Amino acid sequence: MTSSSPSPDTKSPSKAMAISEEHFLNRELSWLAFNERVLAEAARAELPVLERVKFLAITASNLDEFFMVRVGALQFLREQGRRVKDPSGLTPTQQWEQIQQRATAFVERQYEILNDELLPLLREKGIRRLNPSELTPAQRTHLEAYFSEHIFPVLSPIALDDDKPRVSVPALQIALLCKVQSVAEGKMTQRLVLFTLPSNLPRHVLVPEVESGLHAYLNLEDLLSVFLHLYFPSEKVTASARFRISRNSDIAVDDESSFDLASEMEDILEARLQSPAIRIEIEDGAPRDLVKSIRDLCGAKTAQVYTVPGELDLRAYFVISGLSGFEDLKVEPWDSQASPQIEPGESMFDAIKRGDILLHHPYESFDPVMQMIEEAAADPDVIAIKQILYRTAKNSRIISALIRAAQAGKHVTVLVELKARFDEARNLERAEELLNAGAQIIYGVRGLKTHAKVCLVMRREAGHLVRYMHFGTGNYNEATSKLYTDISYLTCRQNYGSDASAFFNTVTGRSRFVHFERISMAPFGLRERLLSMIHSETERARQGEEAEIMLKMNALEDRKMITALYEASQAGVTVRLNVRGICCLRPGVKGLSENIRVVSIIDRYLEHARIYHFRQGGRPVIFISSADFMNRNLSKRVELLVPVEDKEAKKRLTHILETHFADTSRGRVLKQDGTWAPPAANAAKALRSQEIFAKEAAKRIRQRNQAPDVLVPHRPKE
């Protein structure tokens, strides 16, 4: 099935309509709608239970970050009395109030799915979270020995006295506040004691002596409650309450006035530990007086308090979703395939020289990208490697290769973005390793966040310098490359090489911006190039030509870009948008956006690729990019927009877009009122785009392996 184009009567140019606030959807509410679509996957009865559990954990992690960053920013504006409206016409206070309503309903739905569906199903399948009352005497004895050896020495009870400084409760850690009663000399006294459960302790403690094939566990907070009395000999714990706080993490480094960005970032990380509480989650059933004490302790004046009908911190279900021995409760794996464009054992330099290589991850393995960098580190003909690192894997093969390259005497320049939120500490640590190996380290670009994905390798060949490049839509992270859908483009085209060198000179040397021949860079022209492409299609439509725009991105929020798409629709351009998350554009408005269709895909992999397609009179111009259509990407970050010129690569990118728009299984269509609905399936069998890509990747490599044992023929460059 292919996605249908608008009917002729809706495709004709419309009378121009003035664009106003009502034509924009609120960014924060649109993000919450995205998380609701993810939660809908956790509710899918046809999915294996551990896949559903994984989606539940994703929604919890997403919501944590949303509160810490987006709600944190709104809270700052509210405290400052700012009444500036967003493009949809809402003030910070109005947004905050609507977020609380929506988030409250969302949390209720999370726990409905967990308590009413997932936990009973897990128990039925042999994965059981036990309550303390279910423990046998033998299990209790075993757990007491475990607690005494592994937990008791680690935790530190903190008495909360009125005459002592306020205690800082760590963010996102489960905490327990208890009342302890003691009697001395016939007089009874009572005090409050706080425990926090550090993240380096296991959340789930295995319970022994259960039936074969079962996985039984006790949550760490339950284990603490069972043996809490061990901390208070001769005293009595009369009540306890569990809670968890989220702190405002919307704290940015002022690198315009910073002389030492690395030291400044360390200060920011420290400041986040003490930032105001934004959200307090308290487990249902807590005594009223302890709830008041928790609110006072955490500063509830600036925080929203949620009573949670179940266990805290559902992110822990990531561990449950990955349990070994329960493969029948997981989805059937789709293996990442090798690229048929690369011969087994072939040098990546030889493969790229033969023709541009397009990889669609994770259906096609990320290994060729890592292989190119690892080969470059060991190759005596490689003289220099330049790379941008934004988010990397915990034990990154790429960073290890760059360290080896520097140690081997190659000229290695790495721009490490220290402002990659929540990855700052890891990036600081790895940057230090690179520095010690002899690499040149650039800590980001002053005043901007560097988000571009590019690696440049310079190699001497027959007396000439040849540049090999990787451009991507995703991070240099071999872990997330198995979970996110992204595009890699490997090339050694000369004009791209010249542009890549000029790009690195611009960002590392802060040299004056120069015009690039092929690529475009934000914030110095990327937005303008995209706008010129949209305007070109708009003008073609006004001249009576067939005009079409297909865009795939993670988020669409930028007002200028949305306005340009509205103008294109009014001129009669067919506009199809595949937007994973935030979408502030309102489709289907008569006279404004009836030629615009917006689809979102939520499935096994996180859709992360950015692909931009413009028909251009039947000679399509197609780009991949690190940038979404968001103001922060286009105006406040270093991003890249890369045209893909290889004919076969362009066909594949077009096919990827068309397949997503035809998805009648996991696709959701944005309605005019901002809600999302399943597409009307008029095919005998629903089409699932991610499954199609997995099967196609397997088929391509199977056909390559069955072909005669000859090298892939050289593809001339257009």
Side-chain angles (χ1 to χ4, degrees):
M1 172 185 166
T2 56
S3 182
S4 58
S5 299
S7 56
D9 60 321
T10 62
K11 194 175 175 183
S12 58
S14 307
K15 184 178 179 180
M17 174 187 289
I19 298 172
S20 61
E21 293 173 345
E22 65 183 285
H23 299 137
F24 294 88
L25 299 172
N26 175 260
R27 167 182 169 156
E28 318 310 341
L29 300 180
S30 181
W31 184 92
L32 286 170
F34 156 67
N35 213 28
E36 289 164 0
R37 297 197 297 280
V38 179
L39 187 60
E41 295 299 301
R44 277 184 179 268
E46 70 271 21
L47 286 179
V49 64
L50 291 184
E51 182 75 355
R52 297 174 64 184
V53 161
K54 180 194 78 174
F55 278 112
L56 181 72
I58 290 171
T59 67
S61 178
N62 286 348
L63 197 62
D64 283 348
E65 184 169 342
F66 176 73
F67 268 93
M68 290 188 294
V69 179
R70 299 304 308 169
V71 179
L74 285 174
Q75 184 61 31
F76 272 144
L77 294 176
R78 292 179 71 231
E79 290 171 357
Q80 294 168 3
R82 299 278 297 277
R83 294 188 53 80
V84 60
K85 294 182 178 181
D86 80 315
S88 71
L90 297 179
T91 65
T93 296
Q94 289 171 327
Q95 292 180 67
W96 192 88
E97 290 170 348
Q98 291 193 36
I99 286 169
Q100 305 315 321
Q101 278 187 327
R102 192 88 163 255
T104 298
F106 181 85
V107 171
E108 288 176 0
R109 180 60 178 146
Q110 278 183 312
Y111 282 90
E112 281 178 9
I113 294 171
L114 174 66
N115 296 329
D116 299 343
E117 300 179 37
L118 298 182
L119 286 179
L121 191 53
L122 286 169
R123 180 169 280 263
E124 176 189 320
K125 300 294 185 180
I127 302 173
R128 300 179 181 176
R129 177 198 170 193
L130 299 181
N131 293 316
S133 61
E134 297 178 89
L135 298 175
T136 66
Q139 290 169 341
R140 192 179 181 96
T141 298
H142 170 87
L143 289 172
E144 183 170 5
Y146 174 88
F147 182 87
S148 297
E149 182 177 354
H150 298 285
I151 308 300
F152 183 85
V154 176
L155 300 185
S156 300
I158 302 173
L160 303 182
D161 299 323
D162 294 337
D163 59 345
K164 290 186 178 180
R166 180 180 293 273
V167 174
S168 178
V169 181
L172 302 185
Q173 291 184 10
I174 293 175
L176 184 141
L177 184 66
C178 59
K179 287 194 292 187
V180 180
Q181 190 179 90
S182 61
V183 178
E185 299 178 354
K187 182 180 179 182
M188 187 177 69
T189 60
Q190 189 169 264
R191 69 185 187 279
L192 294 178
V193 178
L194 175 72
F195 290 85
T196 60
L197 304 184
S199 55
N200 60 352
L201 287 177
R203 175 70 185 281
H204 304 141
V205 179
L206 287 177
V207 177
E209 300 179 25
V210 295
E211 300 172 39
S212 176
L214 296 185
H215 179 90
Y217 66 93
L218 203 67
N219 274 359
L220 181 60
E221 62 270 27
D222 289 329
L223 186 67
L224 173 60
S225 295
V226 171
F227 300 111
L228 196 56
H229 63 277
L230 297 179
Y231 288 97
F232 309 106
S234 305
E235 295 181 288
K236 184 180 180 181
V237 179
T238 59
S240 64
R242 302 164 185 179
F243 67 99
R244 178 174 178 262
I245 69 170
S246 304
R247 293 190 180 278
N248 190 345
S249 293
D250 188 49
I251 302 173
V253 61
D254 180 15
D255 60 349
E256 288 291 350
S257 59
S258 174
F259 293 102
D260 184 348
L261 189 57
S263 297
E264 182 80 2
M265 186 54 68
E266 289 174 348
D267 292 341
I268 290 296
L269 294 175
E270 183 70 25
R272 283 184 187 165
L273 300 176
Q274 305 295 330
S275 62
I278 292 297
R279 174 182 60 163
I280 306 172
E281 300 165 280
I282 304 176
E283 195 165 333
D284 195 17
R288 186 173 299 177
D289 58 338
L290 285 184
V291 170
K292 181 181 183 306
S293 297
I294 291 169
R295 295 169 67 106
D296 292 342
L297 175 65
C298 301
K301 290 181 179 179
T302 61
Q304 182 71 14
V305 179
Y306 291 84
T307 300
V308 175
E311 61 193 291
L312 297 168
D313 195 2
L314 301 185
R315 298 177 304 169
Y317 278 95
F318 278 122
V319 175
I320 300 299
S321 71
L323 283 176
S324 59
F326 293 90
E327 306 314 305
D328 58 322
L329 305 183
K330 303 175 184 177
V331 293
E332 182 181 349
W334 294 336
D335 295 331
S336 290
Q337 306 293 333
S339 169
Q341 294 179 249
I342 305 166
E343 289 296 310
E346 181 182 23
S347 162
M348 282 304 301
F349 299 125
D350 291 340
I352 296 170
K353 244 185 305 192
R354 196 167 56 246
D356 296 351
I357 297 172
L358 184 93
L359 302 173
H360 189 193
H361 310 301
Y363 314 104
E364 291 177 311
S365 172
F366 191 67
D367 283 352
V369 180
M370 294 187 290
Q371 183 184 339
M372 183 186 84
I373 299 168
E374 288 173 337
E375 278 188 32
D379 190 334
D381 292 324
V382 169
I383 59 173
I385 305 172
K386 299 185 180 184
Q387 186 158 8
I388 290 176
L389 296 179
Y390 188 73
R391 299 191 195 277
T392 58
K394 188 174 182 179
N395 298 304
S396 171
R397 280 174 55 186
I398 288 175
I399 291 182
S400 296
L402 293 171
I403 289 172
R404 292 195 302 274
Q407 290 171 337
K410 300 182 190 303
H411 189 69
V412 177
T413 303
V414 182
L415 191 152
V416 179
E417 182 47 77
L418 293 184
K419 300 186 289 294
R421 198 184 303 271
F422 305 123
D423 272 16
E424 301 97 336
R426 178 184 295 170
N427 286 357
L428 274 168
E429 181 182 337
R430 299 315 305 265
E432 187 70 23
E433 293 178 46
L434 286 161
L435 264 176
N436 292 338
Q440 282 193 144
I441 299 298
I442 311 295
Y443 290 122
V445 177
R446 188 176 296 276
L448 300 169
K449 184 179 285 189
T450 306
H451 192 246
K453 325 301 186 192
V454 57
C455 176
L456 171 63
V457 174
M458 283 161 278
R459 188 171 188 257
R460 283 200 186 97
E461 297 178 6
H464 298 282
L465 187 68
V466 179
R467 298 179 179 94
Y468 294 87
M469 288 141 286
H470 168 264
F471 297 101
T473 64
N475 297 305
Y476 290 102
N477 187 324
E478 55 264 40
T480 57
S481 71
K482 299 174 183 176
L483 305 173
Y484 295 4
T485 72
D486 272 305
I487 300 296
S488 283
Y489 190 46
L490 297 146
T491 184
C492 60
R493 292 173 183 262
Q494 187 174 348
N495 48 5
Y496 283 64
S498 299
D499 280 358
S501 289
F503 168 78
F504 274 106
N505 290 341
T506 300
V507 297
T508 63
R510 299 179 191 166
S511 57
R512 188 174 62 85
F513 173 73
V514 296
H515 175 72
F516 299 122
E517 187 176 342
R518 303 300 302 142
I519 67 176
S520 298
M521 170 186 174
F524 306 115
L526 192 155
R527 178 202 296 275
E528 289 73 17
R529 188 165 187 187
L530 285 171
L531 284 173
S532 73
M533 297 303 301
I534 296 172
H535 293 154
S536 174
E537 290 295 320
T538 303
E539 190 56 36
R540 287 175 184 273
R542 287 173 178 154
Q543 298 300 321
E545 283 189 47
E546 184 176 352
E548 182 181 34
I549 296 171
M550 292 190 290
L551 308 175
K552 175 177 172 56
M553 65 191 77
N554 300 324
L556 172 57
E557 167 265 351
D558 185 80
R559 186 183 179 98
K560 290 181 181 178
M561 305 305 291
I562 292 174
T563 299
L565 292 172
Y566 281 155
E567 291 171 353
S569 173
Q570 290 175 317
V573 180
T574 299
V575 180
R576 288 188 284 169
L577 307 175
N578 177 201
V579 184
R580 183 195 77 213
I582 296 167
C583 182
C584 298
L585 177 148
R586 195 185 292 275
V589 178
K590 187 173 176 57
L592 179 74
S593 57
E594 66 262 57
N595 290 324
I596 302 178
R597 181 172 182 262
V598 184
V599 174
S600 175
I601 307 292
I602 305 293
D603 201 349
R604 181 180 303 189
Y605 300 133
L606 180 80
E607 292 294 335
H608 194 252
R610 292 91 165 182
I611 307 171
Y612 304 139
H613 180 289
F614 303 91
R615 189 176 187 277
Q616 290 295 286
R619 298 176 63 86
V621 175
I622 305 176
F623 303 91
I624 63 169
S625 183
S626 59
D628 292 309
F629 279 23
M630 300 189 75
N631 182 57
R632 71 182 188 190
N633 295 98
L634 303 175
S635 302
K636 302 174 184 178
R637 289 186 174 186
V638 175
E639 305 272 14
L640 281 177
L641 179 73
V642 181
V644 174
E645 300 191 347
D646 180 84
K647 287 182 179 178
E648 290 303 314
K650 290 171 71 171
K651 286 180 183 177
R652 283 193 64 195
L653 291 173
T654 303
H655 171 69
I656 290 168
L657 292 171
E658 294 283 6
T659 303
H660 277 312
F661 290 123
D663 193 315
T664 54
S665 174
R666 297 300 195 271
R668 295 291 180 267
V669 177
L670 180 60
K671 297 166 67 176
Q672 183 177 331
D673 63 359
T675 61
W676 295 81
N682 55 7
K685 181 181 179 182
L687 296 181
R688 184 181 176 192
S689 56
Q690 290 195 357
E691 183 179 38
I692 290 170
F693 297 139
K695 289 180 176 178
E696 288 176 346
K699 182 180 178 180
R700 280 194 299 271
I701 197 64
R702 190 166 57 247
Q703 289 174 337
R704 197 283 303 273
N705 292 340
Q706 292 170 352
D709 189 18
V710 295
L711 287 176
V712 178
H714 173 79
R715 298 196 319 278
K717 294 178 172 57
E718 295 83 15

